[in-house]
Amino acid sequence: MTKIKTMAVALALILVASQSMAAGGGASLEPAGIDPDNIPSLQRGARNFMNYCSGCHSAQYVRYSTIGKHLELSEEQLIDNLMFNAEKTFETIKAAMPAEDAARWYGKAPPDLSLMSRAKGADYIYNFLKGFYVSDTSPTGVDNVVLAGTSMPHVLWELQGFQDAHFNHHENEDGSVTTTFGGFEALSAGQMDAEEFDAFVRDTVNFLAYIAEPVRSERRTLGVWVIMFLIFFLILAIQLKKAIWKDVK
């Protein structure tokens, strides 16, 4: 029992630590509100990913053909709209920027995004993409309230515009200082208003959630049939037991 309790406490501490890391800069995570079954949203998200993300980030665990199948895109649509640096539909998404150059320019190569949604969660990515603010101390000119000190530049600045972040500092009884996020202040307008930009980011995150598990919809559909199969045979087994044991007292 002692070992079990110790493991339970350790697991709880890990979960608390992961939640604290998710809120990195002291900002609470706003729900992304994605819907991986929304095909039009996934199509827009695929467009957003290829236009704004694939220059630096790869998605090496998903093939264009898989995306075309699930997003109801023809081979011609795939080639014309998504396959900017690939020739065959069975290829995976590769970053346009060489990893060596990216590591030299940004300090480390941008991560592959195939499983990022499963590793960080959709809410984390959604708030991260919306959380850039102007910072004079950052080499890129911006920092992020979700991941402080990020080396990623604000690639969506033309759409969102620039914003400043306000932080509240509270001195504790022990002399330590607690910093909490106090909100954003717009500095310059982007091509989209706040509602349009939220929808843009939501579609992008929706696509990232999809590529992290392309078989999600099929798995859930199969799961329903499996549960129905088990319920049917449970009822059949109960009725069979009653029939066999009805004369036994």
Side-chain angles (χ1 to χ4, degrees):
M1 288 295 295
T2 302
K3 291 183 177 180
I4 294 177
K5 289 181 179 180
T6 302
M7 293 176 64
V9 172
L11 178 59
L13 290 174
I14 292 173
L15 291 175
V16 171
S18 64
Q19 291 175 355
S20 299
M21 290 171 62
S28 59
L29 298 183
E30 177 186 350
I34 62 172
D35 179 10
D37 294 321
N38 187 334
I39 300 300
S41 173
L42 292 176
Q43 292 175 347
R44 294 191 297 269
R47 174 203 62 194
N48 300 345
F49 179 90
M50 296 307 301
N51 287 334
Y52 291 92
C53 305
S54 65
C56 299
H57 296 277
S58 61
Q60 60 181 342
Y61 299 124
V62 62
R63 300 182 185 277
Y64 287 102
S65 55
T66 302
I67 295 174
K69 173 185 175 183
H70 293 152
L71 272 59
E72 301 176 1
L73 300 173
S74 65
E75 182 173 337
E76 182 179 356
Q77 289 174 318
L78 277 175
I79 295 173
D80 292 343
N81 300 293
L82 298 181
M83 295 175 57
F84 302 143
N85 58 351
E87 297 180 357
K88 304 294 183 181
T89 57
F90 59 76
E91 294 182 39
T92 59
I93 300 177
K94 298 180 177 62
M97 180 187 300
E100 297 78 9
D101 292 340
R104 186 170 67 254
W105 295 333
Y106 300 117
K108 63 178 181 179
D112 181 88
L113 297 184
S114 301
L115 303 177
M116 187 58 67
S117 177
R118 298 188 68 174
K120 294 292 189 179
D123 294 348
Y124 178 96
I125 302 174
Y126 178 73
N127 287 269
F128 173 78
L129 292 176
K130 293 175 54 180
F132 286 93
Y133 66 93
V134 173
S135 173
D136 296 334
T137 61
S138 172
T140 60
V142 293
D143 206 339
N144 195 285
V145 296
V146 176
L147 182 60
T150 180
S151 58
M152 177 177 168
H154 187 15
V155 296
L156 303 179
W157 68 271
E158 287 185 316
L159 305 180
Q160 184 188 30
F162 286 107
Q163 58 189 2
D164 191 14
H166 297 286
F167 296 94
N168 302 318
H169 305 285
H170 175 72
E171 185 173 353
N172 304 313
E173 295 180 356
D174 59 0
S176 61
V177 177
T178 301
T179 302
T180 58
F181 174 62
F184 290 114
E185 177 186 355
L187 298 178
S188 63
Q191 298 174 1
M192 296 180 175
D193 59 30
E195 185 176 348
E196 291 173 332
F197 185 72
D198 287 353
F200 177 94
V201 174
R202 185 174 295 109
D203 289 337
T204 306
V205 175
N206 200 20
F207 177 74
L208 290 174
Y210 155 73
I211 63 174
E213 190 180 8
V215 297
R216 172 186 175 276
S217 296
E218 297 174 2
R219 173 179 58 79
R220 296 183 64 171
T221 300
L222 179 61
V224 171
W225 283 104
V226 169
I227 292 175
M228 292 174 60
F229 174 86
L230 293 175
I231 293 174
F232 171 77
F233 277 96
L234 174 62
I235 296 173
L236 185 63
I238 293 173
Q239 296 301 320
L240 183 61
K241 176 182 177 295
K242 289 181 178 179
I244 294 175
W245 292 88
K246 65 180 179 179
D247 297 326
V248 179
K249 296 183 180 179

